[in-house]
Amino acid sequence: MFRTIRGDITKVTDVDAIVNAANTSLLGGGGVDGAIHRAAGPKLLEECRTLHGCETGKAKITGAYELPCSYVIHTPGPIWQGGHKKERELLASCYQSCLELAVQHGARRIAFPSISTGVYHFPVEEAAGIAVRTAKRFVQEHPGELELIEWVLFDDHTWKVYEKALQG
Ligand code: AR6
């Protein structure tokens, strides 16, 4: 049901949906967002233009085009500003919103990157705890609706932190 793997989320072939750590414009960027747009091809940006952005903590879904899955779920994570700007609640809301959209679209297997812990500087340990707690609670509240939730972590340190959060 839950697992972590080290790697590139654009290469994952065993899920219905991958999550993009986007920005509120939904018009692409660096990091995992850039990698997803490059791998999906220009039609992804075309569809994103029709969405007119997305609020931090919410999510929107598109097709996946050249990617080996059916959907991309785009969620703008919070920018870490010291922890007093509702960053934790907003990050939990990202996971919750993505999982709700996945279920609404019949996507039973979903892969997440480490939302907000790159250029948005959310501390990784806290982000991993929020990610795992929110996903576990969601599964308890939606029994039988999801088969797999995995985190695809790009670097060794981030992978170890999520693995510990999941086991601990
Ligand atoms: N697969 C999986 N994880 C990746 C990949 C990949 N291909 N590439 C990077 N990561 P970031 P954020 C990891 O900065 O902090 C963008 O410009 C990365 O090592 O991508 O939410 C958006 O447009 C890190 O652990 O996302 C926004 O403006 C994690 O993904 C802004 O960055 C998240 O890093 C969002 O910032």
Side-chain angles (χ1 to χ4, degrees):
M1 177 78 233
F2 299 102
R3 71 173 177 223
T4 68
I5 54 178
R6 224 173 333 167
D8 178 343
I9 200 165
T10 66
K11 305 277 195 265
V12 167
T13 55
D14 62 351
V15 295
D16 306 304
I18 66 169
V19 172
N20 181 14
N23 57 60
T24 55
S25 78
L26 298 186
L27 298 179
V32 69
D33 193 3
I36 287 173
H37 275 274
R38 274 195 301 281
K43 290 217 165 75
L44 179 60
L45 182 58
E46 242 175 72
E47 184 176 357
C48 283
R49 285 190 202 286
T50 69
L51 300 176
H52 306 294
C54 181
E55 282 172 45
T56 301
K58 301 276 171 52
K60 291 193 178 177
I61 192 163
T62 65
Y65 301 96
E66 311 287 320
L67 285 161
C69 56
S70 302
Y71 301 105
V72 178
I73 300 175
H74 308 260
T75 187
I79 299 170
W80 183 258
Q81 295 176 73
H84 299 288
K85 302 274 187 190
K86 300 211 180 325
E87 292 95 327
R88 297 174 185 85
E89 293 91 326
L90 287 165
L91 186 63
S93 171
C94 287
Y95 283 95
Q96 179 78 20
S97 303
C98 288
L99 292 168
E100 281 169 4
L101 267 183
V103 165
Q104 279 165 26
H105 287 77
R108 296 172 59 79
R109 302 166 69 86
I110 180 169
F112 286 96
S114 179
I115 300 166
S116 279
T117 70
V119 302
Y120 282 0
H121 291 299
F122 202 115
V124 180
E125 276 80 6
E126 268 201 82
I130 290 166
V132 167
R133 276 196 304 280
T134 307
K136 286 191 170 170
R137 189 180 316 125
F138 186 91
V139 167
Q140 276 175 1
E141 290 168 356
H142 299 77
E145 302 215 58
L146 292 167
E147 262 169 42
L148 173 69
I149 299 175
E150 67 184 9
W151 283 272
V152 183
L153 293 328
F154 209 47
D155 66 276
D156 205 46
H157 173 70
T158 304
W159 172 68
K160 283 185 176 141
V161 171
Y162 275 73
E163 185 58 22
K164 195 170 162 213
L166 197 53
Q167 305 311 333

